[in-house]
Amino acid sequence: MRQVLDNHNIRISSCLSESEERVLADDVLDGLTRPFKELPPKHFYDTRGSDLFEQICELPEYYPTRAEREILEHYADEIIETTGAGELVELGSGSAEKARILLGAMARAGTLRRYIPLDVSEQALEDAARQLVDEYDGLVVDGVVGDFERHLDRVPRRDGSPRIVGLLGGTIGNFPPGTRRRLLREMCRLLGPADRLLLGTDLVKDPAVIEAAYDDSEGITAEFNRNILHVINRQLDADFTPEAFDHIAFFDRRHEWVEMRLRARRPQTVRIARLGLLVDFAPGEELRTEISAKFTRPRLESDFGAAGLRLERWYTDARDRFALSLAARG
Ligand code: SAH
Ligand code: AVI
């Protein structure tokens, strides 16, 4: 692992290297040569994509962030009291806005020791780490720049006190059902008997509310969606015209997930120079860029069961829009 930052309270190491470009290249090669084109959503998050996501969180239509924050503000002290946690491992930590609420509860309980964020975005990780050590006296941030689908074995070992492993924001919903269970199983392996998983999931609700959250009136989500094409242009020397694609978001009632797609406005051929690949788009052809699954408690319990996890506590916001689950091994 490469050391990115090492001052007295912040250590950040990176599992990512030039080979990341190869990961994107392989995903693009797979995804754009399929009969139905698709790309994995983790490639949204370069610096611009992370900024756009932060703007999405502030939008009036995007309720998940506010709903999850409401739950955390209400129950963080109880969560820390029941777990006795002194460490928070957060996967896909982004700006660490929500971690801050849990770290505050740990500070009040006198257990706070270490925050271990893991994110593909080095910039987001570094910014969050600097702010947090300023805010919390004695806090150690041990960050990992990495991909939680590949680098969970690089999460630093427990320092003695119980830990919470968090995956917040509903990010688990961005994985299809089989991959979701595999990821939960891998997260379960990070837990000792006294540790707990804290998982944020968006809940099934009126499709109109969900669709508005993924197709906001200011067009920020549309820009976030198109950002994946900017990433491919820059990293793989491609010539996508992002504006030649419409942003589509719809709720799939059968699977209970919202999908984001990019729909070609006209016939076009895109050249991806690094791959020596030409990709044709028929007029109206769609490229799926994200699913975001919405959950019910029974669905989540069956996913937990399949992953060797047991649901202990289920917290929701006052309007039952979002849930936070506390789960243990076994
Ligand atoms: N947890 C925050 C951010 C959610 S956005 C919140 O609740 O608001 C999703 C975050 O996960 C982004 O910061 C993105 O960079 C990160 N991410 C997405 N896929 C990832 C992966 N495979 N490995 C590591 N981080 C990932
Ligand atoms: C990060 N993830 C949980 C967000 C979601 O709601 O699925 C990403 C997002 N996509 C569009 N808006 C926000």
Side-chain angles (χ1 to χ4, degrees):
M1 286 217 283
R2 183 167 54 92
Q3 204 70 27
V4 176
L5 187 65
D6 193 358
N7 76 22
H8 72 293
N9 276 347
I10 307 180
R11 253 190 321 267
I12 298 181
S13 36
S14 178
C15 312
L16 307 183
S17 59
E18 307 75 52
S19 65
E20 272 336 274
E21 221 159 72
R22 242 180 289 142
V23 173
L24 173 69
D26 293 347
D27 286 347
V28 169
L29 191 54
D30 269 355
L32 299 189
T33 54
R34 284 191 191 136
F36 179 78
K37 298 181 173 67
E38 176 163 16
L39 292 169
K42 70 171 170 227
H43 300 302
F44 283 131
Y45 299 95
D46 63 348
T47 303
R48 178 169 183 264
S50 297
D51 280 353
L52 285 165
F53 178 75
E54 289 310 308
Q55 291 178 45
I56 288 174
C57 293
E58 302 294 320
L59 291 168
E61 295 97 331
Y62 194 74
Y63 60 85
T65 304
R66 280 184 296 280
E68 192 180 36
R69 200 181 297 140
E70 176 190 321
I71 305 170
L72 282 167
E73 275 161 4
H74 212 270
Y75 294 107
D77 288 313
E78 181 183 321
I79 291 169
I80 299 309
E81 207 174 293
T82 52
T83 57
E87 292 196 345
L88 172 63
V89 177
E90 189 183 13
L91 310 178
S93 44
S95 64
E97 276 307 316
K98 293 165 186 165
R100 183 169 273 120
I101 306 173
L102 290 162
L103 297 174
M106 289 182 192
R108 282 191 291 281
T111 57
L112 180 64
R113 300 169 73 118
R114 194 158 60 138
Y115 177 49
I116 305 172
L118 184 152
D119 204 288
V120 279
S121 171
E122 182 174 327
Q123 192 62 53
L125 206 74
E126 228 182 280
D127 292 348
R130 287 187 198 279
Q131 281 180 25
L132 288 170
V133 294
D134 277 352
E135 255 169 72
Y136 294 102
D137 253 3
L139 173 70
V140 170
V141 177
D142 223 340
V144 180
V145 183
D147 179 338
F148 55 61
E149 287 188 85
R150 294 181 289 137
H151 300 127
L152 286 191
D153 58 334
R154 309 292 175 86
V155 170
R157 304 233 165 275
R158 174 180 310 93
D159 76 352
S161 49
R163 57 166 49 164
I164 290 176
V165 176
L167 180 60
L168 302 175
T171 299
I172 191 70
N174 296 136
F175 295 91
T179 312
R180 180 195 306 157
R181 289 185 171 186
R182 196 174 316 127
L183 193 54
L184 287 172
R185 218 168 277 133
E186 279 160 20
M187 289 193 280
C188 179
R189 276 196 216 108
L190 289 180
L191 302 177
D195 303 334
R196 294 294 178 268
L197 173 70
L198 185 66
L199 187 73
T201 48
D202 195 10
L203 299 178
V204 172
K205 61 182 66 60
D206 178 358
V209 173
I210 296 175
E211 285 176 355
Y214 290 81
D215 193 7
D216 64 275
S217 52
E218 288 173 49
I220 309 285
T221 311
E223 265 319 292
F224 175 72
N225 196 3
R226 290 191 194 98
N227 193 53
I228 205 160
L229 304 183
H230 289 287
V231 170
I232 297 171
N233 280 351
R234 190 184 59 245
Q235 306 271 44
L236 300 179
D237 200 7
D239 63 359
F240 273 105
T241 306
E243 302 70 41
F245 289 82
D246 285 323
H247 165 69
I248 307 291
F250 67 95
F251 187 65
D252 176 334
R253 289 168 195 250
R254 187 157 66 94
H255 294 109
E256 297 188 314
W257 64 48
V258 62
E259 285 199 23
M260 295 208 309
R261 296 183 179 186
L262 290 166
R263 181 186 288 157
R265 286 195 187 151
R266 51 175 190 266
Q268 48 198 290
T269 299
V270 175
R271 183 163 175 272
I272 304 177
R274 293 268 170 92
L275 294 173
L277 182 71
L278 291 177
V279 185
D280 292 325
F281 285 87
E285 186 175 346
E286 293 177 355
L287 155 65
R288 183 161 75 175
T289 50
E290 185 180 73
I291 64 164
S292 188
K294 307 304 163 194
F295 290 78
T296 56
R297 181 170 172 164
R299 154 106 49 80
L300 192 65
E301 279 181 302
S302 78
D303 283 343
F304 277 168
L309 289 157
R310 180 171 39 85
L311 179 66
E312 277 190 346
R313 307 266 168 124
W314 169 264
Y315 304 104
T316 63
D317 62 301
R319 288 151 70 188
D320 282 332
R321 293 171 297 174
F322 200 94
L324 260 191
S325 303
L326 204 57
R329 232 169 62 179

